[in-house]
């Protein structure tokens, strides 16, 4: 299963080794040019790329138009949450991350990206206790992932 995490860490504050650690789990691996190419693809990455390039409403509209075919995919709801997070709308972001978790639960799967992103929302709201609980739970569910452990630090 692939995981795509939303990172609030600044790429410029990371050294090369840290970028490599996170590249497989986040959008850090994509340059602006690559994100621009994703904007032209007819899949859910188009909506995510639009949001990451600051075109939030356009990205959300693209994702909304995929609801009928993607509604049972936890990654879809996580992408919508990421767009709202990038728009600093933390309440909506957390709502969609929760929908992502509920969708995964219905399919009897774990989706640690959404739970990690809830932790990021808690951090953004200065709720350290909530963030630590979320990151700890993610690390317990998926100890092979670097981002939740890094976020705990």
């Amino acid at each position: 299963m692939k995981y795509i995490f939303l990172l609030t860490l600044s790429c410029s504050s990371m050294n090369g080794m840290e970028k490599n650690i996170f590249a497989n789990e986040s959008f850090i691996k994509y340059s602006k040019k690559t994100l621009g190419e994703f904007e032209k693809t007819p899949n859910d990455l188009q909506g995510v790329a639009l949001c990451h390039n600051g075109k939030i409403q356009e990205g959300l509209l693209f994702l909304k138009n995929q609801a009928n075919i993607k509604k049972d995919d936890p990654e879809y709801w996580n992408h919508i949450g990421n767009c709202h997070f990038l728009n600093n709308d933390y309440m909506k972001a957390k709502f969609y991350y929760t929908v992502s978790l509920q969708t995964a639960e219905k399919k009897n799967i774990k989706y640690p990206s959404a739970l990690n992103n809830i932790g990021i929302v808690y951090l953004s709201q200065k709720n350290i206790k909530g963030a630590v609980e979320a990151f700890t739970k993610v690390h317990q569910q998926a100890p092979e992932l670097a981002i939740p452990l890094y976020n705990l630090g």
Side-chain angles (χ1 to χ4, degrees):
M1 173 181 280
K2 73 177 178 185
Y3 303 109
I4 297 181
F5 287 90
L6 173 72
L7 288 181
T8 59
L9 303 169
S10 167
C11 293
S12 63
S13 69
M14 293 185 200
N15 65 37
M17 187 176 86
E18 288 167 322
K19 285 182 186 177
N20 290 335
I21 290 170
F22 298 128
N24 292 326
E25 298 174 20
S26 71
F27 267 88
I28 286 176
K29 63 184 170 187
Y30 302 121
S31 66
K32 284 279 190 190
K33 180 180 178 185
T34 304
L35 286 171
E37 291 301 314
F38 282 148
E39 285 184 18
K40 301 171 189 170
T41 61
N43 61 41
D44 57 339
L45 287 182
Q46 180 178 0
V48 176
L50 287 163
C51 291
H52 275 270
N53 276 331
K55 301 172 186 172
I56 305 292
Q57 295 311 315
E58 194 176 337
L60 284 170
L61 180 60
F62 182 88
L63 289 167
K64 180 181 176 184
N65 288 333
Q66 293 191 319
N68 287 336
I69 56 174
K70 297 283 190 169
K71 66 184 176 201
D72 295 324
D73 182 357
E75 188 172 43
Y76 169 76
W77 299 107
N78 192 60
H79 289 328
I80 293 175
N82 288 347
C83 287
H84 285 292
F85 184 89
L86 291 166
N87 200 35
N88 298 318
D89 192 342
Y90 303 130
M91 191 166 17
K92 282 185 183 176
K94 186 178 174 200
F95 171 81
Y96 286 106
Y97 296 146
T98 301
V99 171
S100 176
L101 291 172
Q102 292 168 342
T103 304
E105 188 176 305
K106 286 178 189 173
K107 297 177 89 172
N108 258 348
I109 60 173
K110 302 268 187 230
Y111 192 69
S113 297
L115 186 54
N116 183 78
N117 290 341
I118 287 173
I120 299 290
V121 168
Y122 284 140
L123 276 181
S124 299
Q125 296 173 328
K126 309 290 188 235
N127 180 346
I128 304 303
K129 182 180 178 192
V132 168
E133 288 174 4
F135 297 143
T136 299
K137 190 171 181 181
V138 175
H139 180 62
Q140 290 168 345
Q141 287 179 4
E144 72 280 5
L145 297 176
I147 291 174
L149 188 58
Y150 188 88
N151 287 341
L152 275 169

